[in-house]
């Protein structure tokens, strides 16, 4: 089976109904998060997230009104926003999903790219109407990559918090630093600052748990071994890396999860460094969806850790690329037993 033969489509109603934690995080809870004893911020983050979930009212009440997102008339209530900031591999998504599980229904959970796609698919007014019916909106991988996203999300979160929706988010970047190094963020400083005022920040520090005390990832296999593995594992996929990159360009990133649904093992032939940043960012989104669904990855060519050039790793998307490398390395390690 080839991923390049799949063209998933997701209807508007399904976009809303699918706003739940992905399979990897469907069963997580605060009790299953194991704080690193050397990193006190992790235990504190569990307490902060739990307290935030408990503040969300189980019964509908009078919805508060806040003003002044663009200046004038007061400030937003930061207690309605929780922002988990920290490096990759410290369990922020685990904590976000646990917060979602602990909160009363109705509630919604999605990645930042899924949220912006939802607005594009439904239209702003309809997206606000649908999302305002929820008590909590949890947003994973919160990033502002361009000015359009900045204006859109600022307005969206203003509307939702004004409607009484609590918002929790994760990111590798503090809210007042969003967009830094990616576009002329100083031109949108007012909007970014007003957005950051909606959140109380909880810091989560620590090393990458995905690789703590584990052996190095396995090296790439040769093409013959790759084909043999694909043939031996029913339902698995086998794609040329360049062809897959072209296919990803033809799909909205919000569809990448559906692209790999039900695939037990992904095989990539001829992996090499991304030729440019557009391809690299699509690969980041693809890696995130693979990780969400715990789909192992076996590759030939260069190591998966070589997907992003040194120049890319020194730019404004450094944290995104490092997160993708961390997740792909874990998935490559998961694929190793399947080949033996």
């Amino acid at each position: 089976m080839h991923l390049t033969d799949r063209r998933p489509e997701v209807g508007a109603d399904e976009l809303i109904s699918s706003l739940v934690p992905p399979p990897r995080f469907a069963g997580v809870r605060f009790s299953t998060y194991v704080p690193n004893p050397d990193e006190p911020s992790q235990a504190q983050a569990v307490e902060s997230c739990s307290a935030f979930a408990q503040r969300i009212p189980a019964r509908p009440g009078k919805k508060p009104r806040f003003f002044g997102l663009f200046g004038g008339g007061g400030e937003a209530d930061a207690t309605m926003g929780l922002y988990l900031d920290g490096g990759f591999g410290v369990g922020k998504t685990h904590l976000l999903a646990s917060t979602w599980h602990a909160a009363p229904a109705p509630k919604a959970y999605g990645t930042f790219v899924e949220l912006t796609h939802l607005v594009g698919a439904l239209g702003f007014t309809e997206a606000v109407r649908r999302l305002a019916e929820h008590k909590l909106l949890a947003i994973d991988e919160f990033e502002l990559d361009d000015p359009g996203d900045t204006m859109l999300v600022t307005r969206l979160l203003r509307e939702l918090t004004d409607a009484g929706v609590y918002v929790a988010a994760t990111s590798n970047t503090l809210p007042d630093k969003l967009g830094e190094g990616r576009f002329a963020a100083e031109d949108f400083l007012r909007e970014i600052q007003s957005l950051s005022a909606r959140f109380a920040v909880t810091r989560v520090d620590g090393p990458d748990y995905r690789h703590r005390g584990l052996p190095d990832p396995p090296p790439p296999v040769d093409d013959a071994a790759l084909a043999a593995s694909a043939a031996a594992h029913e339902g698995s996929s086998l794609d040329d890396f360049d062809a897959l990159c072209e296919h990803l360009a033809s799909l909205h990133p919000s569809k990448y999860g559906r692209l790999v649904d039900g695939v037990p093992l992904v095989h990539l032939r001829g992996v090499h460094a991304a030729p440019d940043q557009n391809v690299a960012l699509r690969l980041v989104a693809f890696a995130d969806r693979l990780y969400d669904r715990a789909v192992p990855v076996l590759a030939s060519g260069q190591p998966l850790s070589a997907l992003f050039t040194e120049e890319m790793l020194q730019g404004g998307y450094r944290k995104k690329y490092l997160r993708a490398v961390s997740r792909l390395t874990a998935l490559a390690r998961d694929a190793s037993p399947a080949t033996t």
Side-chain angles (χ1 to χ4, degrees):
M1 189 271 290
H2 304 294
L3 296 179
T4 52
D5 292 334
R6 290 185 163 192
R7 299 203 65 86
E9 296 295 336
V10 184
D13 289 337
E14 191 177 357
L15 285 173
I16 293 291
S17 64
S18 64
L19 290 177
V20 297
R24 182 183 287 273
F25 299 100
V28 302
R29 300 293 187 274
F30 291 128
S31 60
T32 63
Y33 182 87
V34 182
N36 186 336
D38 297 326
E39 301 291 342
S41 68
Q42 295 189 8
Q44 293 168 5
V46 173
E47 295 178 6
S48 296
C49 291
S50 178
F52 177 80
Q54 291 175 18
R55 286 202 303 272
I56 302 173
R59 297 180 180 179
K62 183 179 180 180
K63 294 183 177 180
R65 296 291 299 176
F66 305 117
F67 304 92
L69 186 64
F70 296 100
E75 295 183 355
D77 183 353
T79 62
M80 293 190 69
L82 172 70
Y83 194 96
L84 296 173
D85 171 64
F88 53 89
V90 295
K92 299 188 303 297
T93 301
H94 186 138
L95 290 170
L96 182 70
S98 298
T99 301
W100 186 90
H101 286 299
K107 49 197 174 181
Y109 180 109
T111 64
F112 183 80
V113 70
E114 288 170 337
L115 180 64
T116 54
H117 179 56
L118 176 70
V119 176
L122 298 181
F124 185 86
T125 301
E126 180 64 9
V128 170
R129 187 187 73 80
R130 297 278 196 111
L131 292 173
E133 297 172 350
H134 297 79
K135 293 182 170 64
L136 170 68
L137 172 62
I139 310 170
D140 198 19
E141 303 158 15
F142 198 107
E143 298 287 358
L144 296 181
D145 293 340
D146 62 60
D149 282 348
T150 301
M151 302 299 289
L152 173 69
V153 174
T154 299
R155 184 183 170 201
L156 179 68
L157 294 187
R158 178 187 64 184
E159 296 280 352
L160 293 178
T161 53
D162 283 357
V165 179
Y166 285 69
V167 178
T170 71
S171 182
N172 300 125
T173 307
L174 285 168
D176 61 350
K177 300 295 184 182
L178 288 165
E180 195 169 67
R182 301 169 195 180
F183 61 91
E186 63 274 9
D187 294 339
F188 298 87
L189 187 60
R190 186 178 181 183
E191 285 75 16
I192 292 172
Q193 287 177 338
S194 66
L195 183 59
S196 70
R198 297 266 157 174
F199 296 98
V201 177
T202 294
R203 178 72 185 175
V204 190
D205 294 309
D208 185 351
Y209 80 91
R210 282 185 283 268
H211 309 296
R212 196 164 57 211
L214 294 176
D216 292 334
V221 299
D222 59 37
D223 288 347
L226 191 76
S229 174
H233 294 88
E234 184 177 357
S236 66
S237 65
L238 174 61
D239 290 271
D240 289 324
F241 178 73
D242 287 334
L244 179 63
C245 289
E246 290 183 14
H247 190 57
L248 293 178
S250 71
L251 299 173
H252 190 279
S254 63
K255 299 179 181 179
Y256 291 177
R258 180 62 57 85
L259 184 67
V260 296
D261 275 347
V263 180
L265 182 61
V266 163
H267 298 79
L268 297 178
R269 182 166 45 216
V271 168
H272 58 81
D276 58 57
Q277 194 150 260
N278 289 329
V279 174
L281 290 173
R282 292 185 201 109
L283 290 171
V284 169
F286 183 62
D288 287 337
R289 303 294 75 79
L290 288 169
Y291 184 77
D292 285 345
R293 287 155 176 76
V295 181
V297 179
L298 189 67
S300 68
Q302 296 182 23
L304 291 168
S305 59
L307 277 177
F308 311 109
T309 65
E310 284 300 320
E311 182 180 3
M312 292 175 182
L313 293 175
Q314 298 305 315
Y317 298 102
R318 170 181 170 81
K319 292 179 180 179
K320 276 191 171 187
Y321 295 145
L322 291 176
R323 181 186 74 217
V325 169
S326 170
R327 290 181 164 186
L328 286 170
T329 298
L331 295 176
R333 191 180 291 119
D334 291 343
S336 185
T339 64
T340 59

